[in-house]
Structures are given as structure tokens and as C-alpha cells.
């Protein structure tokens, strides 16, 4: 893989692909569902127009590129999998990012770089709940906050608190309501609960989600109480949604921090009015952290099926303005 990169600031391969996600303009749609699991990404792509199981039967560990008239797939060296097709005639993409905030950051920044016009991004993942909500229920995030280890506490012990809990950042209200409404409709004949509330994104599956691990000093006995105190409406913990919501907020030209406003005009970051990201998130509750139960795996496919339909419907229903301002994608 020999490539000449255009710059160290935002490296692009000489063929125009971004450094980690490895897509270029025309390969990603303005409407995106992002997941962790590659297998889940293939299941979503099965809902795309004309896509068959055979289209998705890939053994190659990558990097690989598959181009068909109705389907584009790219697995990057870093294991970001992008699949683009249409859903009910509308261009949509699914991007699998594995796990955690750094992967979410790569995905949003690099995908944003190759798509013109406003975007709608829905995260579809799994989570644990800190309320007494049964596993197999569905959560829709009204907002997200960050739970991180206070690293200094573990270095010099002079710090007061071993964990830092940020303020909450909301997602896009309109997309959230569409998603909630579609999930309700899709699940009305099933015994599946759909709950709205705040989500905490943690920088570890273990320590900063208050799991105990005898191999490490984690000082997290008080963590659930601290989270509940600061965010009484917190229902779920996972590792990605805050990354999406906070970058979506920072992509809006109506949002500017004071420091930015005080800069001289020549130094100001000028956000285009047209590059807003509308973000929402829904998760399957896999773990109940109150009674320490975990979802039984046979429940997952039923949940996924209902959720994928609701997510894709919401993505094509959200208004992103004039079609002519959107990114044209190959094969649509
Ligand atoms: N996840 C959690 N905590 C849970 C259940 C699921 O973080 O209790 C999510 C986030 C991450 C992956 O992507 O699943 C870790 O298993």
C-alpha cells in the first residue's frame, strides 16, 4: 500500500481516500447508520434495495473494495467497513466502527470530509442500564454525557474524584422523535419496551462503567451514585454516543463558543451553513447493572430486525433540505 499523502493535518491518499475510514466522495451517503459490529452492518445492508445475502458473503479480512451497480463496500486497513446502497430509493450508508470514542471521532470527521451537504447520523448499538429496566428493551438517547477516568487521580492521588462526569449534550430533537415514533410503531405488537433517557458514554467498558476488576485499582464503588446524582435521568451506559452528539453539536454553524467569537475574523473557523450533522442514537439493552443480568442471545435478532427498519425509515424521513445540495453517490 504505497501512497503519497497530501498533508499531515488531514492526510488523504493520492486517490482521495481518507487515512483510516478510507472512503472518498461518492462512496458515502448523507444518511448514515453507524454500528460497532461488522456482522450487524451486513444485516442492515440486507435491507438495502436489491441486496442479497450472497452480495455480503465476504471472507477477505481486507482491505477490500466491492463495487456492484446497487452496492458499494469498503473494508479499510483499520477495519472501518462502509456499505452504501439505497433504501426505498434513497441513498444510505452503514459504517461499522468497532468500539469507543476514538473510533467514533475517526468515523465522523473522515466521513464528514467526503460528504457534501447536511448529514443525518444514527448510532445503533448496545448498552447496559443502571435503572431497573429489563434486558431486551430499547433505549433512545435524549442526550449524552461523558464518564472518564480522572487520570490524574491515578497518577498523583491529589485529585478529589477518580471519575469525571461531563454535562449532557443533546442530540437532534426531530431525528430523535422520528426514531422513537418509528420504533413504537414497529414494536407495537411485540413485548418490547422503548425507553427515552440520557446516556453516559464511558472511556472503558470496565472501570468507568463501574465494573469490578480485581487486577486493577479502579476506585469505582461510588460511581453509579455519582452518575445518578449528577444525571438522575441517566438510563444507559455505553461507549460511543457522546462522541457523536458532541461532534454533531460542534458541526453546527449556529453553535459557537465564546473564544471562537472573540477571535479576529482571519483566525475564525468558518463553518458552512450547510454542513450540519443531525444525530440520534438507539441501543439494545444487553446488560442490567442493577440485578446483574445479561440478555439471552436468541432475543437479539428479533430486536435488531425491528430496530434496523425503524432506523432506516427515520433516516429517509428526516428532511435534509434540497436534494441538489446533497452528495451524489455511485449507483443511485
Ligand atoms: N456496551 C457497553 N456496556 C454494556 C453493554 C454494551 O459499553 O454494558 C457497548 C458499547 C461498546 C460495546 O461498543 O458494547 C462493548 O461491549
Amino acid at each position: 500500500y504505497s501512497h503519497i499523502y497530501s498533508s499531515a493535518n488531514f492526510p488523504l491518499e493520492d486517490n482521495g481516500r481518507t487515512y483510516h475510514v478510507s472512503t472518498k466522495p461518492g462512496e458515502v451517503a448523507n444518511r448514515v447508520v453507524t454500528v460497532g459490529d461488522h456482522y450487524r452492518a451486513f444485516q442492515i445492508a440486507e435491507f438495502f434495495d436489491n441486496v442479497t445475502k450472497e452480495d455480503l458473503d465476504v471472507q477477505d479480512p481486507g482491505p477490500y473494495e466491492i463495487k456492484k451497480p446497487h452496492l458499494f463496500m469498503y473494508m479499510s486497513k483499520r477495519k472501518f467497513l462502509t456499505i452504501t446502497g439505497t433504501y426505498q430509493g434513497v441513498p444510505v450508508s452503514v459504517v461499522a466502527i468497532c468500539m469507543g470514542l476514538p473510533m467514533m471521532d475517526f468515523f465522523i470527521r473522515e466521513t464528514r470530509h467526503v460528504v457534501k451537504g447536511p448529514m443525518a447520523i444514527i448510532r445503533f448499538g448496545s448498552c447496559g442500564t443502571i435503572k431497573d429496566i429489563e434486558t431486551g428493551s430499547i433505549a433512545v438517547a435524549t442526550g449524552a454525557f461523558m464518564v472518564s477516568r480522572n487520570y490524574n487521580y491515578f497518577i498523583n492521588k491529589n485529585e478529589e474524584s477518580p471519575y469525571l462526569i461531563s454535562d449532557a449534550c443533546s442530540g437532534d430533537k426531530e431525528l430523535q422523535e422520528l426514531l422513537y415514533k418509528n420504533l413504537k410503531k414497529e414494536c407495537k405488537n411485540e413485548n418490547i419496551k422503548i425507553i427515552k433517557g440520557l446516556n453516559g458514554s464511558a472511556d472503558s467498558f470496565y472501570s468507568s462503567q463501574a465494573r469490578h476488576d480485581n487486577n486493577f485499582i479502579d476506585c469505582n464503588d461510588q460511581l453509579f451514585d455519582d452518575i445518578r446524582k449528577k444525571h438522575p435521568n441517566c438510563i444507559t451506559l455505553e461507549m460511543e454516543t457522546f462522541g457523536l452528539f458532541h461532534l454533531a453539536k460542534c458541526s453546527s454553524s449556529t453553535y459557537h463558543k465564546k473564544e471562537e467569537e472573540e477571535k479576529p475574523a482571519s483566525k475564525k473557523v468558518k463553518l458552512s451553513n450547510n454542513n450540519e450533522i443531525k444525530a440520534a442514537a438507539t441501543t439494545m439493552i444487553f446488560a442490567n447493572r442493577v440485578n446483574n443480568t445479561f440478555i439471552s442471545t436468541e432475543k437479539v435478532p428479533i430486536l435488531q430486525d425491528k430496530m434496523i427498519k425503524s432506523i432506516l425509515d427515520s433516516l429517509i424521513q428526516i428532511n435534509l433540505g434540497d436534494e441538489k445540495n446533497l452528495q451524489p453517490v455511485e449507483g443511485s
Side-chain angles (χ1 to χ4, degrees):
Y1 312 110
S2 66
H3 282 291
I4 296 160
Y5 291 97
S6 50
S7 108
N9 183 62
F10 200 102
L12 293 174
E13 290 177 6
D14 42 12
N15 57 18
R17 292 186 184 283
T18 59
Y19 195 27
H20 311 90
V21 182
S22 285
T23 48
K24 59 183 196 300
E27 295 176 348
V28 195
N30 294 71
R31 300 160 199 276
V32 184
V33 42
T34 180
V35 297
D37 197 292
H38 294 83
Y39 186 65
R40 197 175 297 146
F42 289 128
Q43 288 175 322
I44 294 171
E46 273 186 48
F47 282 70
F48 290 3
D49 302 331
N50 307 317
V51 171
T52 62
K53 270 201 161 59
E54 290 69 54
D55 284 330
L56 305 167
D57 186 18
V58 190
Q59 301 294 328
D60 190 340
Y64 61 77
E65 177 176 4
I66 293 170
K67 273 187 177 182
K68 296 184 179 178
H70 60 295
L71 185 72
F72 168 85
M73 285 207 268
Y74 200 98
M75 172 77 85
S76 81
K77 304 193 275 297
R78 296 297 193 176
K79 300 289 170 274
F80 288 90
L81 171 65
T82 301
I83 311 178
T84 298
T86 59
Y87 176 69
Q88 297 181 13
V90 182
V92 286
S93 294
V94 49
V95 183
I97 67 169
C98 299
M99 288 174 280
L101 244 69
M103 296 296 272
M104 186 56 99
D105 192 78
F106 282 124
F107 152 66
I108 301 172
R109 290 177 187 272
E110 295 188 14
T111 298
R112 171 71 281 180
H113 193 85
V114 301
V115 174
K116 87 172 171 73
M119 295 180 74
I121 304 179
I122 298 180
R123 157 163 158 79
F124 171 34
S126 63
C127 67
T129 182
I130 63 165
K131 290 249 161 100
D132 197 8
I133 301 167
E134 62 192 287
T135 61
S137 305
I138 295 170
V140 175
T142 53
F145 59 88
M146 186 70 204
V147 185
S148 36
R149 266 170 101 90
N150 184 2
Y151 296 98
N152 279 348
Y153 179 96
F154 296 91
I155 296 168
N156 56 36
K157 281 263 173 191
N158 290 328
E159 298 280 323
E160 261 173 34
S161 163
Y163 293 88
L164 301 173
I165 302 167
S166 82
D167 293 342
C169 174
S170 50
D172 182 80
K173 287 268 152 25
E174 192 190 348
L175 192 56
Q176 176 198 308
E177 277 313 308
L178 270 175
L179 188 56
Y180 183 72
K181 204 185 70 201
N182 285 323
L183 284 165
K184 277 271 182 206
K185 192 175 88 190
E186 207 54 46
C187 298
K188 71 171 184 290
N189 298 323
E190 311 288 322
N191 185 23
I192 302 171
K193 290 201 184 71
I194 301 155
I195 296 118
K196 280 195 260 190
L198 274 185
N199 170 74
S201 297
D203 64 354
S204 168
F205 177 80
Y206 299 101
S207 68
S208 43
Q209 290 184 36
R211 288 187 162 92
H212 298 295
D213 178 351
N214 286 337
N215 290 311
F216 297 94
I217 305 285
D218 286 324
C219 308
N220 59 4
D221 288 344
Q222 297 297 314
L223 184 54
F224 277 165
D225 287 343
D226 292 345
I227 291 172
R228 290 186 183 113
K229 197 164 152 211
K230 176 145 180 150
H231 296 294
N233 191 27
C234 172
I235 54 173
T236 55
L237 294 181
E238 44 78 278
M239 300 178 68
E240 293 85 8
T241 301
F242 178 78
L244 172 60
F245 284 11
H246 119 272
L247 272 189
K249 186 173 179 136
C250 297
S251 79
S252 164
S253 58
T254 58
Y255 173 81
H256 253 134
K257 262 204 102 61
K258 214 156 168 273
E259 295 95 85
E260 200 60 40
E261 260 142 38
E262 283 162 1
K263 277 187 196 167
S266 60
K267 291 254 164 88
K268 240 180 221 167
V269 177
K270 284 203 194 64
L271 292 175
S272 137
N273 281 324
N274 218 7
N275 74 352
E276 186 195 4
I277 297 173
K278 298 183 177 196
T282 181
T283 46
M284 303 174 274
I285 297 179
F286 274 14
N288 179 318
R289 303 295 310 286
V290 178
N291 63 19
N292 208 16
T293 53
F294 210 84
I295 193 167
S296 60
T297 47
E298 77 266 11
K299 274 196 179 168
V300 179
I302 308 157
L303 264 182
Q304 289 205 146
D305 218 56
K306 302 283 170 201
M307 292 176 80
I308 293 169
K309 180 90 190 5
S310 313
I311 290 163
L312 291 174
D313 285 343
S314 306
L315 278 179
I316 66 167
Q317 285 161 9
I318 188 88
N319 183 1
L320 292 183
D322 202 331
E323 282 295 312
K324 75 174 191 312
N325 296 325
L326 301 186
Q327 176 70 48
V329 292
E330 293 164 42
S332 67

